[in-house]
Amino acid sequence: MNDDGPRDRPLCLVTGATGYIGGRLVPELLRSGYRVRCLARSPGRLRDQPWAGEAEAVRGDVTDAASLDAALRGVDVAYYLVHALGTGPDFEETDRRAARTFGERARAAGVRRIVYLGGLTPAGVPEAELSPHLRSRAEVGRILLASGVPTTVLRAAVIIGSGSASFEMLRYLTERLPVMVTPRWVRTRIQPIAVRDVLRVLAGCAALPDDVNRAFDLGGPEILTYREMMTRYAAVAGLPRRLVLPVPVLSPGLSSHWVGLITPVPAGIARPLTESLRHEVVCRENDIARYVPDPPGGRIGFDRSVQLALQRVREAKVTTRWSNASVPGVPSDPLPTDPDWAGGSLYTDRRERAVDASPEALWRVIEGIGGENGWYSFPLAWSLRGRLDRAVGGVGLRRGRRDAQRLRAGDSLDFWRVEEIEQGHLLRLRAEMRLPGLAWLEMYAEREGDGRARYRQRALFHPHGLLGHAYWWSVAPFHAIVFGGMARNIARAATRTPAAPAGEPVRSP
């Protein structure tokens, strides 16, 4: 990582660059022409970011004054995007101490502006009655505003984007429960905002006049109840209409346990989020638009923001988060630092075998799969699956292959489609049979140190609604036979296959 570029360009420090907003803000600032320095306790976690070579990374902690002094040296705008949510019962004291230290050191370093993203607080509710999560966010904002450095505090409610804890909770609750017995907070009115709009405003705040030192409410164009958000999420995701039955006896504490049971969002995060939903969070003003104007089409609506989040995750899910490949530069894309529970469910069946043959011989077997060559395991099961697919209007196994030995991206292959092929290394197939979700099959030929091959295989399934989850678990008992047999027989076939193309196609045993 480096700090290359003209020194007259303003330098921005981004704390929390390994977090949801910070990791997505860095490329926004770079595109806007700023130099960027990232503060992280473990800078190594940033090396797989797509922007890693364009930003400087330094080791430090917002509670450590010495590391802050080094990180803030020469900084014009400092983004404070960290909080201690989920770290334990004393997170409010940790947040308080960190904000004071950061404000003091920013002032000593001559920082021109601090930008902080906090939480939208309800109107007319005494601070003592707020959830600890919202109360701490509000206190951090006050501390930074009083630091002596001109500060912008942006207060947002639910941020809609894959990876946002609030959005992930909404996603899992809606997708996994066609009938929901819910706490009464589903009636709470909320003003959600798309992550793209949040990032646009955050980046724009770097150019605010020096005399601006205040908080701004930040929300999208619509005000919805949590129940309406779940209903509209289901509609955008193509799920059947959800039946929501509020139950007044579920307290915030019980609600967090209920959320923890249904979703993979950690309890330390789910509890403060559910507690924050007791009160209405609606913007009281939109003054930030005077400084950072809305785009010509206005801010992104709820349905469109959900659509973008789902679209980008489905396109990038296999090739980025779970494969550690490069990540496209779109705010809603998954990032390497996103938590494992973000991005929706992805079920995986992995198989791996050492092969007593060359990688070239193994690749010839992989590229020859399907059609008349078969699928190297339990032919009857593949035949029955093809017949079932045709019975429900799918393509079945009737399409076969274009060529008995060679494949190219876009080829149909029985009820699969070749999504990606790296000659000699990777074949990725996307399922086109009728399924309650999205499915892929990946096959890799890799070279071991002794020149022999290693075969790796992954079957991946992204379920669609409760039916998708039920489908995966109903077929999971057969995976050892189908996928295990495939890996075993492909490895066996490779040992008796010449590496160079022959006149006859490879036949499955």
Side-chain angles (χ1 to χ4, degrees):
M1 299 184 190
N2 58 62
D3 188 21
D4 295 336
R7 296 290 169 172
D8 58 347
R9 289 190 296 147
L11 175 61
C12 296
L13 176 72
V14 177
T15 65
T18 57
Y20 174 66
I21 292 294
R24 289 160 173 81
L25 177 61
V26 171
E28 290 288 310
L29 293 171
L30 291 170
R31 280 192 290 268
S32 298
Y34 296 100
R35 292 181 293 139
V36 178
R37 178 182 295 158
C38 301
L39 177 71
R41 283 178 291 185
S42 302
R45 292 183 61 198
L46 300 174
R47 64 173 173 263
D48 291 330
Q49 295 281 15
W51 41 260
E54 303 176 64
E56 178 189 4
V58 296
R59 186 181 305 276
D61 190 284
V62 291
T63 61
D64 178 10
S67 66
L68 283 177
D69 286 343
L72 289 165
R73 189 174 298 117
V75 166
D76 297 277
V77 180
Y79 284 89
Y80 193 80
L81 304 174
V82 295
H83 56 88
L85 178 65
T87 60
D90 59 346
F91 76 89
E92 287 185 86
E93 173 55 32
T94 303
D95 273 342
R96 185 180 302 119
R97 185 175 75 256
R100 285 175 178 160
T101 303
F102 190 83
E104 291 169 359
R105 303 327 303 165
R107 181 178 181 181
V111 171
R112 184 178 62 79
R113 172 163 301 281
I114 294 173
V115 181
Y116 167 60
L117 179 63
L120 186 59
T121 54
V125 178
E127 191 167 297
E129 296 181 15
L130 295 177
S131 70
H133 166 54
L134 282 182
R135 187 168 61 234
S136 180
R137 291 292 188 92
E139 183 182 19
V140 167
R142 285 199 311 274
I143 291 171
L144 294 176
L145 285 168
S147 65
V149 178
T151 296
T152 305
V153 173
L154 298 175
R155 301 182 295 207
V158 172
I159 297 176
I160 305 298
S162 180
S164 160
S166 297
F167 177 74
E168 295 301 334
M169 191 171 80
L170 173 70
R171 179 210 301 269
Y172 286 115
L173 288 175
T174 308
E175 290 193 349
R176 295 187 174 187
L177 294 176
V179 178
M180 290 176 276
V181 178
T182 57
R184 57 187 174 189
W185 48 252
V186 297
R187 300 191 186 99
T188 301
R189 295 201 316 156
I190 300 165
Q191 193 164 351
I193 183 169
V195 64
R196 297 187 184 206
D197 283 325
V198 173
L199 296 171
R200 177 181 54 80
V201 174
L202 279 169
C205 284
L208 260 58
D210 292 347
D211 60 349
V212 176
N213 185 62
R214 56 162 291 188
F216 297 91
D217 290 352
L218 190 59
E222 299 168 272
I223 299 172
L224 305 167
T225 64
Y226 203 88
R227 178 175 183 168
E228 289 171 331
M229 289 168 59
M230 289 191 289
T231 300
R232 288 173 60 169
Y233 177 99
V236 173
L239 300 170
R241 184 176 178 82
R242 269 34 190 165
L243 180 60
V244 182
L245 304 173
V247 177
V249 296
L250 282 175
S251 66
L254 290 174
S255 295
S256 66
H257 292 299
W258 173 75
V259 171
L261 181 66
I262 302 301
T263 82
V265 179
I269 295 176
R271 183 181 180 95
L273 290 180
T274 54
E275 288 177 341
S276 299
L277 292 170
R278 290 180 299 172
H279 302 295
E280 181 178 278
V281 279
V282 174
C283 295
R284 297 177 289 275
E285 42 83 11
N286 187 33
D287 295 348
I288 191 62
R290 299 205 311 258
Y291 302 98
V292 186
D294 290 343
R299 296 182 185 179
I300 301 171
F302 179 80
D303 291 355
R304 179 58 178 159
S305 62
V306 171
Q307 184 183 50
L308 288 169
L310 297 181
Q311 171 188 332
R312 297 308 305 183
V313 169
R314 287 172 181 173
E315 290 176 358
K317 180 179 285 286
V318 176
T319 58
T320 58
R321 270 192 60 213
W322 287 272
S323 299
N324 295 320
S326 61
V327 183
V330 178
S332 50
D333 281 334
L335 292 180
T337 50
D338 284 352
D340 291 340
W341 45 263
S345 300
L346 186 76
Y347 293 118
T348 306
D349 180 276
R350 290 183 173 86
R351 308 284 166 171
E352 188 171 325
R353 296 186 73 89
V355 182
D356 191 18
S358 69
E360 292 77 16
L362 174 58
W363 176 252
R364 189 175 171 225
V365 176
I366 291 173
E367 193 176 11
I369 201 166
E372 293 185 4
N373 301 338
W375 291 89
Y376 292 90
S377 74
F378 204 176
L380 178 61
W382 287 95
S383 177
L384 289 175
R385 186 64 184 87
R387 291 174 183 274
L388 176 62
D389 192 55
R390 290 190 65 179
V392 295
V395 297
L397 293 172
R398 58 190 171 189
R399 296 189 303 189
R401 296 175 52 111
R402 174 188 58 83
D403 183 283
Q405 298 180 62
R406 301 297 182 194
L407 291 174
R408 63 189 180 195
D411 277 359
S412 61
L413 182 59
D414 294 333
F415 44 41
W416 302 89
R417 177 77 59 181
V418 179
E419 184 171 88
E420 184 176 351
I421 184 167
E422 296 177 13
Q423 279 296 328
H425 174 59
L426 164 67
L427 175 63
R428 177 181 296 122
L429 306 176
R430 185 183 70 250
E432 292 190 338
M433 73 280 279
R434 294 294 182 92
L435 288 171
L438 303 171
W440 297 266
L441 178 62
E442 295 179 339
M443 290 166 276
Y444 295 83
E446 298 180 342
R447 187 180 300 276
E448 298 278 49
D450 58 2
R452 291 187 299 176
R454 175 162 292 274
Y455 175 68
R456 287 200 301 115
Q457 173 183 297
R458 291 198 309 170
L460 305 105
F461 184 65
H462 178 44
H464 187 57
L466 184 63
L467 182 59
H469 292 277
Y471 171 81
W472 172 264
W473 290 112
S474 69
V475 299
F478 304 101
H479 286 172
I481 299 173
V482 176
F483 294 128
M486 178 185 293
R488 183 173 57 253
N489 290 329
I490 285 177
R492 184 182 301 157
T495 63
R496 56 176 185 266
T497 300
E504 294 295 323
V506 178
R507 301 288 182 180
S508 62

